[in-house]
Amino acid sequence: MAIIDLVKYNGPPLALAWKYPNEELSTWTQLIVNESQEALFVKGGQALDLFGPGRHTLSSQNIPLLSSIINLPFGGKSPYTAEIWFVNKAHTLDIKWGTPSPIQLQDPKYQLPVSVRAFGQFGVQIENTRKFLIKINGTLPVFDQATLVKHFSGVLLMNVNKLISGYLVHNKISILDINAYVEDISKHMEQSIGPVFEEYGIRLANFNVVSINIPDNDNVTQRLKDALAKRAEMDILGFTYQQERTFNTLEGAATKNGVGSSIMDAGLGAAMGIGIGGPIGQNLAQLTNQLTVQDETRACSKCQAANKADARFCYSCGSTLQSSAPIAEKVACDNCGKPVDPNSKFCSHCGDAVRPCPTCKADNPQHARACVKCGTALSLPCPQCGHVVAPGAKFCPECGGHVGLPQCGQCKTEVQPGQKFCLECGNKLS
């Protein structure tokens, strides 16, 4: 019978656990355990003595549990059989995971069914050698990364489906924006899956979601992207989807009648809106008049059709225009001095933001605390959070930020825009 005198690790480089192939040992056998490894003696399916890194001579002093079971006659090369397992205690950080098939869920923002894929990587470290070998390895001669992923694939996929769906539904996040939250999802998945690994003597480390994406051939998602691109285009051009459809209807009608493709050349006017009838006819009449009427107009309070300023009755629905709201009187822009509608947000000449006084409607500078025309106290938006602050307040009640004019860095006195020196202490302002 061949008796082994030297036992050391000769398994695969990426193995997490490896069984020494020969079980015929003897006393005084030299056992070599590398750094970041542990060796475990197993006899009759029972885990016995555990050895750390270093060189060990097998004798009654360092294998007391094994010797008590088989009653070895120490003093010579007495043969005995036992299994020796080498367990890798180093961190393994490059274990890949991924969803084998797309996850079917509903986009909570746009209410569309979408297919989602996810993949990433994680790391593990075997902390409890006995628990790992007894609970998960069993009798496998080699336990590697692929075997680990196979054992825990069900736990991984269950948590991936649950957490991704939960983030989308509870936070109302569109699938198109989900990659902005992969860091938070990674942390939650590590906290959820970690205790499951610990039950088998494994510590989970650095669980990362690399990407959450949509298959390229998903028609629903492609239609959603096209619709969002179309909406962005219309926002840039300054009209709505209903207005675009109205343009297409007018152009199609003009082409079929042989008048030409141009709405302005067709001269359809209000007659087309009246002829079609109903809400569509009203929208057509309103849009056509917005394109053709050059004079000042007033909107009908009932159908919103544009009428001439001196009209007494609406040409579209026949309602009286006597109670229609008058056209807002224009005021001078505080930046360029040209007339601007106080109901607009920006000056159409220079682009300066319009900040009308609630009393006299005069336009005021952005940092003005009182109206430059009538002296009425004005509310200020907080520069940090945008919360509207009551007149006279110096600090925002929402975020605590300073509101109003900038302060001198030395004496904290408020200074006017463009001021070079503090009038209180003479400090030079940057």
Side-chain angles (χ1 to χ4, degrees):
M1 178 183 296
I3 299 176
I4 305 301
D5 293 327
L6 179 64
V7 177
K8 65 179 182 177
Y9 182 83
N10 290 319
L14 299 179
L16 298 176
W18 177 75
K19 175 185 175 183
Y20 190 76
N22 201 323
E23 300 180 5
E24 299 294 334
L25 307 174
S26 69
T27 55
W28 317 119
T29 295
Q30 300 297 305
L31 172 65
I32 298 176
V33 183
N34 298 325
E35 290 288 345
S36 72
Q37 283 185 343
E38 279 187 345
L40 180 68
F41 272 64
V42 178
K43 178 67 176 179
Q46 183 179 1
L48 301 175
D49 299 289
L50 189 65
F51 294 87
R55 188 183 187 96
H56 307 275
T57 301
L58 304 186
S59 63
S60 60
Q61 285 76 21
N62 55 18
I63 52 172
L65 295 177
L66 181 65
S67 60
S68 62
I69 290 178
I70 62 177
N71 194 21
L72 293 177
F74 290 104
K77 287 190 176 183
S78 302
Y80 62 93
T81 61
E83 299 177 4
I84 300 181
W85 285 89
F86 289 90
V87 176
N88 187 359
K89 303 276 288 186
H91 285 82
T92 303
L93 302 176
D94 58 344
I95 302 178
K96 305 294 190 299
W97 66 268
T99 53
S101 59
I103 306 170
Q104 302 297 324
L105 48 86
Q106 186 177 23
D107 191 298
K109 187 174 182 180
Y110 300 106
Q111 303 302 317
L112 294 174
V114 292
S115 301
V116 178
R117 299 177 303 186
F119 65 91
Q121 68 180 35
F122 64 93
V124 295
Q125 182 189 24
I126 299 175
E127 288 189 329
N128 192 317
T129 299
R130 295 178 184 272
K131 186 183 294 185
F132 172 76
L133 290 175
I134 294 173
K135 282 195 170 185
I136 191 170
N137 184 72
T139 59
L140 293 175
V142 178
F143 194 95
D144 54 13
Q145 297 182 10
T147 310
L148 179 71
V149 173
K150 182 179 179 181
H151 275 69
F152 290 96
S153 60
V155 177
L156 290 173
L157 296 180
M158 179 187 66
N159 282 273
V160 168
N161 296 348
K162 179 179 67 176
L163 288 172
I164 293 179
S165 303
Y167 252 85
L168 289 173
V169 174
H170 297 299
N171 298 323
K172 298 188 182 302
I173 300 171
S174 172
I175 187 59
L176 301 179
D177 304 325
I178 191 64
N179 275 307
Y181 300 87
V182 292
E183 184 177 356
D184 293 337
I185 294 177
S186 300
K187 293 179 180 178
H188 280 77
M189 292 184 67
E190 182 173 343
Q191 295 173 359
S192 177
I193 303 174
V196 179
F197 279 78
E198 290 178 359
E199 294 180 3
Y200 299 93
I202 305 173
R203 186 175 71 87
L204 184 65
N206 298 328
F207 190 95
N208 295 316
V209 178
V210 177
S211 177
I212 301 175
N213 54 58
I214 305 167
D216 296 334
N217 58 352
D218 188 75
N219 296 328
V220 175
T221 308
Q222 187 59 44
R223 290 174 57 190
L224 175 59
K225 291 180 179 179
D226 295 341
L228 294 176
K230 186 66 175 178
R231 186 178 71 176
E233 179 184 356
M234 290 189 293
D235 290 342
I236 295 173
L237 295 177
F239 59 88
T240 64
Y241 175 77
Q242 289 80 4
Q243 290 174 330
E244 183 195 27
R245 295 289 297 168
T246 304
F247 277 123
N248 296 337
T249 303
L250 289 173
E251 290 178 346
T255 303
K256 290 181 180 179
N257 287 299
V259 184
S261 60
S262 172
I263 298 176
M264 300 302 296
D265 293 340
L268 297 177
M272 175 170 283
I274 299 174
I276 295 178
I280 298 179
Q282 293 176 1
N283 291 334
L284 290 173
Q286 178 186 357
L287 182 59
T288 306
N289 278 272
Q290 289 176 356
L291 295 173
T292 57
V293 177
Q294 300 295 327
D295 300 330
E296 290 185 350
T297 60
R298 60 193 305 181
C300 174
S301 60
K302 185 175 182 181
C303 67
Q304 303 300 320
N307 294 268
K308 289 186 178 181
D310 58 350
R312 300 179 61 187
F313 298 94
C314 176
Y315 75 90
S316 178
C317 65
S319 301
T320 179
L321 300 177
Q322 297 299 323
S323 60
S324 298
I327 300 176
E329 182 181 355
K330 294 187 176 181
V331 297
C333 174
D334 72 283
N335 184 46
C336 65
K338 294 185 178 181
V340 62
D341 188 347
N343 295 325
S344 62
K345 293 184 178 180
F346 299 94
C347 176
S348 60
H349 303 283
C350 64
D352 182 57
V354 177
R355 188 171 174 231
C357 171
T359 302
C360 66
K361 303 300 182 182
D363 186 24
N364 290 270
Q366 291 302 304
H367 295 287
R369 289 176 172 265
C371 177
V372 296
K373 184 176 181 180
C374 66
T376 302
L378 302 176
S379 60
L380 288 172
C382 175
Q384 281 78 24
C385 66
H387 179 75
V388 178
V389 182
K394 293 185 177 182
F395 297 91
C396 175
E398 186 71 19
C399 66
H402 179 73
V403 180
L405 297 174
Q407 294 180 331
C408 171
Q410 184 169 328
C411 67
K412 305 303 181 181
T413 302
E414 292 185 348
V415 295
Q416 298 294 328
Q419 190 173 325
K420 295 184 178 180
F421 295 91
C422 176
L423 300 179
E424 185 70 21
C425 64
N427 180 40
K428 186 178 180 179
L429 305 175
S430 56

